[in-house]
Amino acid sequence: MANKECYHCGDDCNRSSVLFDGKEFCCNGCKTVYEIFTSNGLSKFYDMEEHAGISPAEIVKKYDFLDNQEIVEKLVEFNEDGMQLVQLYVPSIHCSSCIWVLENLNRLHESVVNSQVNFPKKTIRITYRSNGLALKDLVILMNSIGYEPHISLEEYTKKSHRVDRSLLYKLGVAGFAFGNVMLLSFPEYFEVNEFWLDRYKFVFRWLMFTFSLPVVLYAARDYFRSALKGLQSKILNIDVPIALGVLTLFVRSTVDIIFNLGSGFFDSLTGLVFFLLLGKFFQQKTYAFLSFERDYKSYFPIAVTRLIPNGAEESVQIYEVEMGDRLLIRSMEIIPVDSILVKGNAEIDYSFVTGESRAVFKQSGERLFAGGKQLSGVLEIEVVKPVSQSYLTQLWGNSVFSKDKMSTFQTLTDSIGKRFTLGVLGIALMATVFWLFYMPSMALNVFTAVLIIACPCAIALAAPFTLGNMLRIFGKHKFYLKNTNVIERLSKIDTAIFDKTGTITTATKDTILYEGIALSEAETSLLKTTLRASNHPLSRSLYELLKSNAIITLDEFHEHSGLGIEGRTDSHSIKVGSSSYVGESARASTETTAVYVSADEAVKGRFVFKNTYREGVENLFKDMGKTMNLGILSGDNDGERTQLQNILPAKTHLLFNQKPKQKLEYIKHLQKDHKVLMVGDGLNDAGALAQSDVGVSVSEDINVFSPACDAILDASNLSKLPDFMRLSRKSIQVIKLSFLLSLCYNLVGLFFAVTGRLEPVIAAILMPLSSISIVVFTSVYTNLLGTGLKDKS
Amino acid sequence: MSVIYVLLAISISVALVFFVAFVLSVKSGQYDDAYTPSVRMLFEDEVVHDLDKTQVENKRIEENIDQTNTYGNSTV
């Protein structure tokens, strides 16, 4: 059977294809979106990119909390005169068609006045008339075309922060001054002894001074501040020689032009500041659509359904939930608070919170913890502890979350900076002393010349450009780092710890084995048909496994949530579910997830779901095991111990049943002698990720929540982790090489300075030359290294 | 050569105008998102009238009729 692709979203149409207007769609949702687009004149959506559409999610009652006016007030940015302005985060924006259709939202509803997409951030700002369209309806409209906005507690409580554009302003000032000063300094370079020059050179010189003033006072301000801070804490970081150089340049040049000793070095001054700021700008690459700071707030919903005593339901903010309240939790919803189960069959997936890979069944009267996801059926729960005091949120109170890893790490540049400053000062003093004896009038000249020419700019530029480029290259391979500091910390790692559930295993594909009496053809097709009618995740996985074409029609179908499903035709019946549902005595097989099958009331056997390890995990461990110590920290039980021992090197530590706090403590313990990398994916890894030297969060869908970390790695590229580590180490080598290169320039320059022959024109040539050559060298080399990554994939 | 004062004054004021324009454009938020405008300018502003609402309804009715015809007896 040929693979038909959905015209809208490109998914496989095999399961159930829908035909409309001569085109095939994979489901009714896609067909509906196509209908909406074409009937509103938006069919151009399909011309721009193929299969650009997204299948819309089911709504159920998910957006009821937007009926609450208080919540709406907090979410909209502007609300006056019947107009509202809201900024929504839409993680499914991924191409130009998305931008186009979302900016043409006004064609889908006349109350939408304007909508503007910010693609890097994946947000959209919509202005609409509030008397014609409520926020809830707007959100439902966007959901119906496949662009569901993600509204979580974090968006709700976040205060709007001012955008920091100061670096751009400073760069503008420095660049403007640099260009003009270079032009103004030309007449004096060529030393033409013309009469007019003698008369007008003061004009040029004082103009150069005026342009350099804002550069020193405004654009270079950060360097002075940082140098002062460093000196106060007795550290000589790289900003000290920079600040010293800028100051010396300015003072020497001003003195020179006042006493007519020369034309001053304003061109080198402005050039220096401009290149340094350019380096800072280049290093600043951030991934605006990701957040590396997420805590539990972006995982929880904003509001929950509370049951009022007379039986009615109301939507209430999650912070207003009190002890003793009764809440309604529907299937696929998250339990927001520690509570007791009152009514309903609970089948809860805690994999994100504790790392347990199989769902937990709970009975009425049992305790439920916050953070689990209810898989099937509706629950009524009674609140025991409010959100801020639940077992889950307690974890975030740990001091490890307020620590800043960057400030305690000494970067390579800073360590070189210290030696550089001392070396330059030493040479300056020696040269000055020499000239004091030989020709005292030159002494001051030489002292300042040495300080000027010993340009730390090449050193200060090597790291930003190398690491900035490496950051971009990693990003292209879906390894998103928080900042360039992470690369330096990565290069020092010697121990790597992995979480199990969700990190090295994947829930999208299950390995399913059958144990028991073989099923007949008729029984298999009845089983398959029954599974097809159920929406439970285990049913769906099982259905995918048993795909055959013999679909028959069921006479009866029942789903008993939390227990199992039952299908019946006139001749046969089949039951699929937990062991007790099917009639099998509860065997003590608690280590594995299993689904039992009985046909015609006779138990036939069971399907066992085993962890599927991600592709390439074995090679990953082999590769990394060569240079690092490995370990596994899992919140799950040790059912997978033997399996793991097979794929990991012999001396690997395997620890199971680890609670979040225990994971954190273990990492702390390891850090006494090692530099530790932690790779995890869930809330239960949050503490370990924050404690480790570098925390990497693995994610199957980067738009969905991942805990606070230093880097986010897309699950499909997990096998490239050893290559990323190798490249980090090589980047450090590139930086060291460029230090050597800058040393050559410095030696040449120092020769001129020490012999008292430093003319402004020489400084003006050497400075930009060294900066540009360092930039070119590091960019070319890192790009070469980056191509090595691509070839392997 | 005193015309150089005039020349310098003019060229510096022109440069300043551009600098002020730069500062104003940064302030108005143009540089906050440097990617989306590059995509946006390639859009064309046409409204496509290939299928309007009544046509969609007609198609659906046609489809329904086709389906019932295949199950029922076809009249000659």
Side-chain angles (χ1 to χ4, degrees):
Chain A
M1 193 151 73
N3 258 350
K4 279 173 275 183
E5 283 181 339
C6 174
Y7 182 73
H8 179 72
C9 69
D11 276 352
D12 226 10
C13 284
N14 282 338
R15 196 171 172 184
S16 48
S17 79
V18 177
L19 211 59
F20 179 76
D21 195 23
K23 304 188 173 66
E24 287 225 28
F25 300 94
C26 67
C27 60
N28 253 312
C30 285
K31 168 200 156 251
T32 314
V33 184
Y34 173 81
E35 239 184 296
I36 297 176
F37 283 168
T38 44
S39 55
N40 284 291
L42 292 174
S43 62
K44 201 168 173 306
F45 178 81
Y46 298 103
D47 295 337
M48 284 192 279
E49 300 228 13
E50 260 201 26
H51 306 313
I54 303 158
S55 218
E58 283 180 44
I59 302 187
V60 196
K61 294 173 128 233
K62 170 149 86 160
Y63 294 115
D64 281 352
F65 65 91
L66 288 171
D67 282 326
N68 187 329
Q69 274 308 112
E70 264 181 50
I71 296 181
V72 172
E73 265 307 305
K74 275 210 185 172
L75 285 173
V76 300
E77 276 182 24
F78 176 84
N79 182 5
E80 225 166 287
D81 296 332
M83 295 283 269
Q84 285 183 345
L85 170 65
V86 69
Q87 178 161 310
L88 296 169
Y89 172 54
V90 185
S92 41
I93 295 178
H94 67 288
C95 67
S96 52
S97 295
C98 306
I99 304 178
W100 186 79
V101 83
L102 283 173
E103 294 198 340
N104 278 303
L105 211 57
N106 53 324
R107 294 210 205 141
L108 291 176
H109 198 292
E110 49 186 15
S111 292
V112 173
V113 172
N114 183 26
S115 49
Q116 193 175 41
V117 171
N118 181 326
F119 189 74
K121 286 210 190 111
K122 300 206 182 178
T123 57
I124 179 171
R125 303 190 85 196
I126 308 177
T127 315
Y128 58 99
R129 282 184 272 271
S130 45
N131 37 20
L133 182 67
L135 182 60
K136 178 179 175 188
D137 299 318
L138 175 64
V139 168
I140 291 179
L141 170 66
M142 288 182 68
N143 192 351
S144 68
I145 53 171
Y147 292 101
E148 183 190 347
H150 179 78
I151 306 176
S152 76
L153 204 56
E154 189 183 10
E155 262 92 26
Y156 183 65
T157 54
K158 181 165 65 173
K159 317 276 177 290
S160 70
H161 47 78
R162 320 226 86 252
V163 181
D164 183 23
R165 301 189 186 117
S166 64
L167 184 58
L168 270 176
Y169 289 132
K170 290 187 177 135
L171 200 53
V173 167
F176 178 73
F178 177 49
N180 283 298
V181 167
M182 285 299 279
L183 287 173
L184 288 169
S185 60
F186 259 70
E188 291 218 48
Y189 284 165
F190 299 113
E191 251 205 301
V192 182
N193 279 321
E194 298 220 354
F195 174 66
W196 74 267
L197 189 61
D198 270 338
R199 277 193 61 194
Y200 291 102
K201 67 182 175 195
F202 302 104
V203 179
F204 286 101
R205 288 177 181 178
W206 284 100
L207 271 175
M208 286 201 280
F209 172 81
T210 324
F211 275 114
S212 314
L213 211 52
V215 172
V216 173
L217 292 177
Y218 175 63
R221 204 186 277 175
D222 287 333
Y223 292 104
F224 290 122
R225 229 180 258 156
S226 168
L228 267 169
K229 228 191 267 177
L231 284 174
Q232 276 169 351
S233 2
K234 308 238 175 33
I235 306 176
L236 279 178
N237 54 21
I238 192 67
D239 293 320
V240 173
I242 292 177
L244 197 59
V246 171
L247 204 58
T248 317
L249 273 166
F250 186 65
V251 169
R252 163 89 192 255
S253 310
T254 317
V255 164
D256 272 0
I257 62 173
I258 290 178
F259 297 111
N260 198 3
L261 298 168
S263 67
F265 297 87
F266 293 111
D267 41 11
S268 309
L269 169 63
T270 48
L272 171 66
V273 177
F274 178 63
F275 281 116
L276 287 173
L277 285 175
L278 206 60
K280 222 188 235 188
F281 180 70
F282 197 75
Q283 193 181 6
Q284 229 194 18
K285 166 90 182 166
T286 47
Y287 297 101
F289 63 98
L290 292 174
S291 174
F292 296 96
E293 324 275 321
R294 291 208 179 120
D295 60 11
Y296 67 92
K297 288 206 196 93
S298 35
Y299 181 59
F300 281 174
I302 293 185
V304 286
T305 315
R306 181 162 62 185
L307 295 170
I308 337 182
N310 63 1
E313 298 172 5
E314 64 166 356
S315 193
V316 66
Q317 285 179 54
I318 202 173
Y319 287 120
E320 288 181 4
V321 167
E322 289 160 24
M323 261 181 68
D325 278 345
R326 290 281 177 96
L327 302 177
L328 197 71
I329 307 287
R330 300 184 195 89
S331 80
M332 290 303 166
E333 283 187 3
I334 294 173
I335 300 173
V337 288
D338 289 351
S339 49
I340 295 182
L341 178 60
V342 172
K343 223 196 286 176
N345 290 315
E347 190 185 347
I348 308 177
D349 176 12
Y350 278 114
S351 62
F352 208 57
V353 174
T354 60
E356 285 172 64
S357 53
R358 35 158 208 113
V360 174
F361 292 94
K362 295 274 185 187
Q363 304 291 328
S364 158
E366 287 190 75
R367 195 72 176 264
L368 302 175
F369 288 105
K373 191 189 282 195
Q374 163 65 351
L375 286 178
S376 61
V378 172
L379 296 180
E380 200 177 306
I381 60 176
E382 182 170 323
V383 178
V384 167
K385 286 211 196 109
V387 173
S388 47
Q389 290 172 23
S390 69
Y391 137 84
L392 187 66
T393 50
Q394 296 281 13
L395 182 63
W396 265 269
N398 193 311
S399 59
V400 75
F401 288 98
S402 46
K403 148 177 111 149
D404 178 13
K405 289 187 206 176
M406 246 176 87
S407 55
T408 49
F409 180 78
Q410 192 196 40
T411 59
L412 192 59
T413 317
D414 284 339
S415 59
I416 290 273
K418 190 167 57 164
R419 293 183 210 137
F420 183 84
T421 316
L422 294 173
V424 167
L425 280 174
I427 295 179
L429 281 170
M430 283 198 305
T432 315
V433 165
F434 169 77
W435 280 93
L436 271 175
F437 289 119
Y438 192 65
M439 198 193 298
S441 59
M442 289 283 282
L444 203 55
N445 178 319
V446 166
F447 180 70
T448 50
V450 170
L451 285 179
I452 288 172
I453 199 62
C455 169
C457 67
I459 294 179
L461 284 177
F465 276 98
T466 314
L467 299 177
N469 212 16
M470 207 35 97
L471 203 67
R472 280 179 178 76
I473 293 176
F474 282 168
K476 282 207 203 113
H477 290 271
K478 306 214 188 131
F479 185 36
Y480 305 101
L481 270 58
K482 185 171 174 177
N483 53 44
T484 52
N485 195 291
V486 178
I487 302 185
E488 289 205 43
R489 303 205 305 260
L490 264 181
S491 66
K492 296 218 159 82
I493 298 289
D494 65 356
T495 306
I497 306 292
F498 290 83
D499 169 52
K500 181 178 76 76
T501 319
T503 305
I504 56 179
T505 64
T506 168
T508 50
K509 275 192 306 219
D510 288 306
T511 316
I512 311 172
L513 306 164
Y514 183 70
E515 294 173 359
I517 314 167
L519 298 171
S520 69
E521 264 288 335
E523 286 170 341
T524 316
S525 63
L526 177 58
L527 172 66
K528 189 190 178 224
T529 317
T530 313
L531 287 170
R532 192 172 174 228
S534 161
N535 251 341
H536 193 283
L538 287 179
S539 307
R540 285 211 285 252
S541 307
L542 207 46
Y543 176 80
E544 288 297 319
L545 174 76
L546 297 173
K547 268 200 284 236
S548 69
N549 292 327
I551 305 280
I552 52 186
T553 42
L554 290 174
D555 287 339
E556 268 181 63
F557 171 76
H558 291 293
E559 177 148 13
H560 300 113
S561 49
L563 297 169
I565 56 180
E566 178 180 356
R568 212 178 267 275
T569 62
D570 43 20
S571 45
H572 295 286
S573 74
I574 202 158
K575 270 189 180 169
V576 189
S578 64
S579 55
S580 47
Y581 178 72
V582 151
E584 167 87 13
S585 55
R587 272 198 274 165
S589 56
T590 48
E591 270 98 41
T592 49
T593 310
V595 159
Y596 290 80
V597 181
S598 76
D600 296 330
E601 306 301 321
V603 177
K604 289 286 176 160
R606 63 181 189 159
F607 288 94
V608 179
F609 290 76
K610 291 206 142 293
N611 283 166
T612 317
Y613 290 94
R614 294 192 195 275
E615 231 180 276
V617 156
E618 216 176 312
N619 287 330
L620 166 73
F621 286 138
K622 219 188 287 181
D623 209 335
M624 288 185 79
K626 286 189 207 147
T627 47
M628 291 178 247
N629 304 320
L630 298 176
I632 304 273
L633 270 184
S634 174
D636 202 0
N637 55 57
D638 63 353
E640 292 280 322
R641 188 184 282 272
T642 37
Q643 177 75 334
L644 282 170
Q645 274 169 343
N646 285 339
I647 57 177
L648 289 164
K651 43 188 172 64
T652 319
H653 282 254
L654 301 170
L655 289 169
F656 296 94
N657 291 315
Q658 297 285 299
K659 297 222 172 6
K661 190 103 195 302
Q662 289 173 305
K663 288 195 184 191
L664 200 163
E665 294 296 325
Y666 183 73
I667 301 271
K668 220 191 231 176
H669 168 77
L670 277 179
Q671 280 179 318
K672 292 202 194 108
D673 326 285
H674 296 282
K675 293 285 179 193
V676 183
L677 165 75
M678 173 71 194
V679 184
D681 78 304
L683 284 175
N684 63 331
D685 300 314
L689 286 171
Q691 177 67 31
S692 61
D693 294 287
V694 176
V696 175
S697 163
V698 174
S699 177
E700 303 218 336
D701 180 357
I702 50 176
N703 298 314
V704 166
F705 170 85
S706 54
C709 54
D710 302 303
I712 297 179
L713 176 58
D714 192 290
S716 53
N717 281 354
L718 181 63
S719 48
K720 288 197 190 150
L721 190 59
D723 296 321
F724 292 134
M725 309 277 299
R726 233 193 312 273
L727 275 185
S728 312
R729 285 189 283 262
K730 287 224 182 110
S731 307
I732 302 297
Q733 285 175 354
V734 172
I735 299 179
K736 288 190 181 152
L737 272 175
S738 33
F739 284 170
L740 268 173
L741 193 59
S742 85
L743 192 64
C744 300
Y745 281 108
N746 275 321
L747 285 174
V748 171
L750 277 172
F751 168 71
F752 281 103
V754 166
T755 53
R757 279 186 277 164
L758 187 68
E759 301 291 320
V761 93
I762 297 179
I765 294 177
L766 266 180
M767 200 96 77
L769 194 62
S770 66
S771 309
I772 295 177
S773 59
I774 295 280
V775 168
V776 168
F777 170 67
T778 56
S779 304
V780 168
Y781 201 147
T782 48
N783 279 334
L784 266 174
L785 288 175
T787 51
L789 248 184
K790 255 182 244 166
D791 291 333
K792 285 203 186 140
S793 64
Chain B
M1 236 341 230
S2 54
V3 72
I4 197 124
Y5 289 127
V6 182
L7 288 174
L8 280 173
I10 295 177
S11 62
I12 289 177
S13 14
V14 171
L16 272 172
V17 165
F18 282 106
F19 181 65
V20 168
F22 170 73
V23 171
L24 287 177
S25 75
V26 172
K27 220 183 203 163
S28 72
Q30 279 183 32
Y31 285 90
D32 290 344
D33 176 16
Y35 179 75
T36 321
S38 69
V39 177
R40 199 178 289 135
M41 74 180 188
L42 295 173
F43 295 151
E44 287 156 26
D45 210 36
E46 36 165 275
V47 177
V48 180
H49 287 298
D50 52 357
L51 273 182
D52 61 40
K53 286 200 168 75
T54 51
Q55 281 186 302
V56 170
E57 268 309 304
N58 289 340
K59 280 210 179 273
R60 228 185 270 154
I61 296 171
E62 277 176 33
E63 234 113 354
N64 275 335
I65 296 175
D66 281 332
Q67 283 194 357
T68 50
N69 272 344
T70 53
Y71 287 124
N73 293 326
S74 56
T75 53
V76 177

